[in-house]
Amino acid sequence: HEKKQGITPARNAGYSAATGDIIVRTDADSQPPRGWVRRIEQLFTKEPIDALTGPLRYYDLSNKNVSPIFDSYVSMMKRILEYPLLHGPNAALTKLMWNKVRTNICLDDHEVHEDYDLTIHIHKMGGKIKYDPKLLMYTSGRRIMKDPLAFFVEYPVRATKTIRKHYSVRSSINNRSEEHTSELQ
């Protein structure tokens, strides 16, 4: 039980209470396909990763064009950050990594996209994050149907705020320039 309202406090309480080596997360309105947990276990066993995510498909939308939009967004964000972002309905991470980042994560749901914020903290701690295109999760499109403006405007704005909170454009350009220079030497 978590007294404080909000996704972040509830997620944090659940992650902190988890006793296994791998914490697996989905949403109440999601429908994991058969073998989802097994695939997560196999990927963590097979590769030295700290976090894992995969694509989302909306099972209750009549317009199936949303999935390609989401996939394009995921691809664009990966190119910008140079690592994949965790998506709440389809995410897993090691308990060890959670214990490393839990005191550093941002707590204000209005300022950050909580799953993206978690991803950035994992990355900054040197964690390896994997995106597996076969780790599919079916989730509800109710947020899209109920309030498309929030989904297509508010979510990207919060994502941008999250990235800005952690990275300045100038430092990102400088870091990439330094990496490129050192590769040439």
Side-chain angles (χ1 to χ4, degrees):
H1 296 282
E2 173 55 44
K3 293 177 185 175
K4 188 172 181 187
Q5 291 283 316
I7 294 171
T8 302
R11 179 208 59 194
N12 295 354
Y15 282 9
S16 294
T19 59
D21 293 335
I22 300 170
I23 301 168
V24 178
R25 174 186 174 184
T26 192
D27 290 348
D29 60 359
S30 294
Q31 300 173 354
R34 182 179 286 271
W36 182 69
V37 172
R38 187 173 316 124
R39 180 148 184 88
I40 290 169
E41 183 180 29
Q42 289 169 345
L43 288 165
F44 274 95
T45 302
K46 185 174 123 180
E47 299 181 46
I49 57 175
D50 299 292
L52 176 65
T53 194
L56 304 177
R57 294 295 176 260
Y58 300 98
Y59 61 79
D60 55 357
L61 291 181
S62 60
N63 183 347
K64 302 299 181 195
N65 292 331
V66 174
S67 292
I69 293 169
F70 180 78
D71 292 345
S72 295
Y73 174 75
V74 167
S75 179
M76 177 191 69
M77 294 303 287
K78 185 176 179 183
R79 271 187 249 124
I80 290 169
L81 293 174
E82 299 179 342
Y83 54 90
L85 290 167
L86 296 175
H87 305 290
N90 194 6
L93 71 151
T94 64
K95 180 71 173 196
L96 181 64
M97 182 52 70
W98 170 248
N99 287 334
K100 287 181 182 179
V101 300
R102 66 190 266 182
T103 58
N104 298 324
I105 55 171
C106 304
L107 301 175
D108 187 347
D109 288 339
H110 300 291
E111 287 299 312
V112 296
H113 227 305
E114 50 84 26
D115 42 359
Y116 295 1
D117 179 69
L118 175 60
T119 307
I120 292 168
H121 284 285
I122 290 170
H123 177 75
K124 285 184 172 188
M125 291 296 285
K128 182 176 179 189
I129 305 160
K130 178 176 178 66
Y131 178 88
D132 178 24
K134 293 181 180 177
L135 187 68
L136 187 64
M137 175 56 69
Y138 298 97
T139 193
S140 175
R142 67 182 168 75
R143 288 184 182 105
I144 298 168
M145 292 182 288
K146 182 180 172 187
D147 190 359
L149 191 63
F151 188 83
F152 291 107
V153 176
E154 178 192 334
Y155 283 15
V157 166
R158 261 198 345 224
T160 303
K161 280 182 179 181
T162 305
I163 292 166
R164 270 199 211 137
K165 184 174 184 70
H166 294 289
Y167 299 106
S168 73
V169 174
R170 171 176 268 153
S171 71
S172 178
I173 291 169
N174 288 342
N175 287 342
R176 287 188 185 159
S177 176
E178 289 170 13
E179 289 170 7
H180 182 68
T181 302
S182 67
E183 287 172 6
L184 294 174
Q185 295 175 349

